[in-house]
Amino acid sequence: MLTALAGGVGAAKFLSGLVAVVDPASVTAIVNTADDDEFHGLRISPDLDSVTYTLAGAQNVAQGWGLAGETFATMDALDRYGVPTWFRLGDRDIATHLFRTQALAAGAPLSEVTARIAAAWGLATRLLPVTDDPLATRITVRRADGREETLRMQEWFVKERSESPVVAVGFAGAETATPGPGVLEAIAGAETVIVCPSNPVISIGPILAVPGVREALVARRDRVVGVSPIIAGAPVKGPADRLMDPLGIEVSCVGVARAYADFCSTLVIDSRDASRVAEVEAAGVRAVVADTLMTDSRIAAALARETLASVA
Ligand code: FO1
């Protein structure tokens, strides 16, 4: 059984490659929930939905989130009422949020709702929210006048297009959150644990912040392998550099190695970073060089295969 720590887009691409080379039913994904938020009274779980839609082959590839062939008639109709619609909910995507919101309101934990949504999309892969408890990323930014302001994740990422300079990142609820059902067992029982190429700060960071999770990974360090989301000093997609740099994490595969060194024994880095193998290994992490730019599903499958082989 394989366990993967997953955030959004990068993880979803990697996971679709992984389930192409191993039995999908042998894979458990522990997914970040700290991007979750509520809009128009609906409970949104972006990373769980990105992974679900991608593994179902229904994702909007170009957009990087939501469903293929999506329409936004409901958002356009909402504009009449003057409510904020900067967080775009597609008409079909809304069905997922309606179902999730109603099931949560009826008392089901997020883990149960997630299992029902995954089953409805025909997934054999098990998706586990890292926690069923409240967990929310908070981004503190510095305004032009020097004032600091703390934003919700989607406000910073979507509304302000991740342009506001970051001074701090926190995970509200982390102290009291408990690992979701099956999470610690999935780490303890896995033959291999893969840290997907997700944002180290706001996708993998919240997963590690849930008490007990990082310790569980440290205990399996020799079986934990990561895939660097940073290639040649820049993230493949998304704002990882705008979060790592302010937090003093070098924006490179070396910075990732140092950040993961206590729980990750091997890091797969891109061929463009082959010259940095010695620095990664100086961080106490074995470096494996591969093509990590998943421009198509064949490359994603090859990367998954090489990642598994690196800790065989
Ligand atoms: N990202 C955007 O850049 N703009 C949006 O309007 C937007 C809407 C949205 C709706 C549902 C959903 O599941 C994801 C959505 N995302 C949007 C992406 C989302 O902000 C990110 O996927 C994660 O929060 C960060 O990985």
Side-chain angles (χ1 to χ4, degrees), residues 27-302:
V27 177
T28 296
I30 296 172
V31 185
N32 171 43
T33 58
D35 289 6
D36 293 14
D37 208 332
E38 188 165 312
F39 291 94
H40 315 296
L42 298 176
R43 299 282 298 273
I44 319 291
S45 294
D47 284 353
L48 282 165
D49 290 349
S50 284
V51 172
T52 301
Y53 292 162
T54 299
L55 291 182
Q59 83 281 23
N60 186 318
V61 179
Q63 192 171 261
W65 51 271
L67 288 165
E70 185 62 281
T71 52
F72 293 87
T74 308
M75 287 291 107
D76 296 343
L78 258 179
D79 286 339
R80 169 187 306 276
Y81 299 105
V83 299
T85 57
W86 51 264
F87 193 76
R88 311 293 294 162
L89 296 180
D91 299 317
R92 292 174 194 77
D93 192 30
I94 286 173
T96 302
H97 311 315
L98 285 170
F99 175 77
R100 177 185 294 116
T101 302
Q102 189 278 332
L104 290 171
L110 182 61
S111 46
E112 181 187 316
V113 179
T114 299
R116 287 160 63 182
I117 292 171
W121 285 90
L123 300 194
T125 298
R126 194 165 55 133
L127 304 189
L128 302 180
V130 62
T131 181
D132 281 340
D133 300 323
L135 182 66
T137 296
R138 292 282 182 272
I139 311 280
T140 300
V141 300
R142 177 170 291 110
R143 295 305 190 194
D145 62 8
R147 229 172 8 90
E148 291 186 359
E149 187 178 347
T150 296
L151 305 174
R152 303 174 71 85
M153 157 62 193
Q154 302 299 346
E155 285 176 326
W156 177 72
F157 181 74
V158 177
K159 191 177 181 185
E160 303 198 6
R161 290 185 306 285
S162 68
E163 286 165 356
S164 307
V166 174
V167 295
V169 177
F171 307 123
E175 312 73 42
T176 50
T178 56
V183 166
L184 296 182
E185 295 80 356
I187 293 169
E191 181 198 347
T192 301
V193 178
I194 301 170
V195 185
C196 294
S198 295
N199 187 315
V201 178
I202 55 172
S203 296
I204 303 302
I207 295 174
L208 301 173
V210 175
V213 172
R214 193 171 198 133
E215 294 79 354
L217 291 164
V218 168
R220 300 295 318 281
R221 185 177 185 279
D222 63 326
R223 300 305 304 160
V224 180
V225 50
V227 180
S228 176
I230 308 294
I231 297 178
V236 174
K237 181 180 169 62
D241 50 342
R242 302 176 185 170
L243 292 151
M244 293 168 74
D245 188 46
L247 300 184
I249 306 168
E250 182 184 312
V251 183
S252 71
C253 58
V254 180
V256 174
R258 292 177 184 142
Y260 291 178
D262 63 310
F263 65 87
C264 184
S265 62
T266 306
L267 184 70
V268 180
I269 66 175
D270 192 76
S271 40
R272 296 163 186 77
D273 288 316
S275 64
R276 315 219 52 189
V277 163
E279 293 168 272
V280 168
E281 307 219 325
V285 177
R286 193 162 59 88
V288 171
V289 178
D291 182 359
T292 68
L293 189 58
M294 297 177 283
T295 46
D296 64 40
S297 56
R298 190 186 48 76
I299 296 178

